[in-house]
Amino acid sequence: TLTGPELELEDFVSPDNFKINIPALLNPGLYELNIQSKCGLQLCECSVTIYLSPCLTAEVCTDYCQGSTWSRFNATLIQDMEFYNGQLIVAGLFSTIGREELPVNNIAAWDGNIWVALEGGGLNNKVNDLEIHDGILYAGGEFTEAGGIAADKIAAWDGSSWSALSHGGINGNFTNVDALLSTSGGLIVGGKFTSVGDPALIATNIAAWNPGNGWAKMGSNLDGPVFALTLFQGKIVAGGRFGNIPGGFNNIATWNGE
């Protein structure tokens, strides 16, 4: 079934692999696609929510609240935002931003009135997370350059220029950073990787970094990617897709610091 503004459709398909062709959605708003399948006595359900933007441009809209109304600025994909040095830093996957389509590279700053490119330039691929640690803004993602310099999946911005991490970044070609967390013990980095730094330190999907000592392992590592990090009751909590074995972590775990 597909339901939404002035729309309600229902259809059936024969058992086999199938492809769903969604008709053109004419009215802005939320649509919900519900799929049901049955294998023997097992009933499986899947629900997908689709938002049709009222934007007049081909870009996806990102909105910010101002009083009782929402204002629009265009960007393809926003992954994270941080307030830094009096500006809202917005990062993700986009090459222009704002109604004026300001050229940028996956990161930009909003000063409350206009969009500006970051001093020092942007990043050459998707940014997944931003974090402020010891007064420096860190970006993690899928990029290999920041401000035109080599920076493997993680980089630091001091408000005027980018720099790669001392002691090296994330090693490997098919790797990425998905989560960053500032702690008293250093910057915690989570994602999909098997080693960090130069010389390489074996660390699977999570590691700690600080400017003085460089990279450090966190226990026996995690056997799948880490997508989220936070602090709760003084402990680091990691969430992702790991530990899916009997007696395992089942995708979430806390770090006791040992």
Side-chain angles (χ1 to χ4, degrees):
T1 60
L2 177 62
T3 58
E6 301 182 22
L7 178 68
E8 185 169 351
L9 298 176
E10 184 175 296
D11 202 359
F12 301 89
V13 295
S14 59
D16 204 343
N17 294 329
F18 61 90
K19 180 173 68 174
I20 299 173
N21 294 310
I22 299 175
L25 306 178
L26 301 178
N27 300 305
L30 290 173
Y31 293 79
E32 187 165 326
L33 176 66
N34 290 294
I35 305 167
Q36 288 188 344
S37 63
K38 189 172 183 180
C39 180
L41 299 177
Q42 181 68 41
L43 179 65
C44 297
E45 296 187 59
C46 176
S47 179
V48 179
T49 299
I50 304 167
Y51 176 63
L52 181 62
S53 167
C55 296
L56 299 178
T57 67
E59 300 260 27
V60 176
C61 283
T62 299
D63 296 327
Y64 71 96
C65 185
Q66 189 176 45
S68 59
T69 64
W70 289 90
S71 299
R72 186 183 80 217
F73 44 83
N74 300 321
T76 305
L77 175 65
I78 300 296
Q79 286 286 99
D80 201 14
M81 297 181 284
E82 283 283 353
F83 182 73
Y84 183 70
N85 283 359
Q87 297 179 312
L88 179 66
I89 309 300
V90 176
L93 183 65
F94 49 89
S95 58
T96 63
I97 198 164
R99 291 174 180 169
E100 294 78 13
E101 297 188 351
L102 174 73
V104 292
N105 288 318
N106 304 308
I107 194 166
W110 173 254
D111 67 3
N113 296 298
I114 61 171
W115 285 103
V116 295
L118 265 63
E119 188 176 347
L123 305 113
N124 70 336
N125 206 339
K126 183 182 175 186
V127 179
N128 292 327
D129 201 18
L130 297 171
E131 184 77 348
I132 299 169
H133 180 66
D134 290 343
I136 302 296
L137 180 70
Y138 291 85
E142 302 172 20
F143 53 85
T144 57
E145 291 184 3
I149 66 171
D152 291 323
K153 318 301 166 54
I154 186 168
W157 190 64
D158 63 6
S160 60
S161 63
W162 288 98
S163 62
L165 269 60
S166 58
H167 311 94
I170 306 299
N171 299 321
N173 294 323
F174 301 100
T175 57
N176 57 268
V177 170
D178 286 306
L180 299 170
L181 177 67
S182 177
T183 73
S184 59
L187 182 68
I188 310 303
V189 179
K192 181 183 178 183
F193 50 84
T194 57
S195 74
V196 295
D198 182 17
L201 172 70
I202 301 301
T204 306
N205 303 316
I206 191 166
W209 179 86
N210 66 68
N213 299 325
W215 290 99
K217 292 182 62 172
M218 298 179 66
S220 57
N221 304 311
L222 299 169
D223 64 359
V226 174
F227 300 137
L229 293 166
T230 194
L231 287 172
F232 180 69
Q233 296 182 347
K235 293 184 177 181
I236 297 168
V237 183
R241 191 172 63 245
F242 53 81
N244 290 299
I245 59 174
F249 292 128
N250 290 323
N251 306 312
I252 189 167
T254 60
W255 169 246
N256 62 14
E258 298 179 359

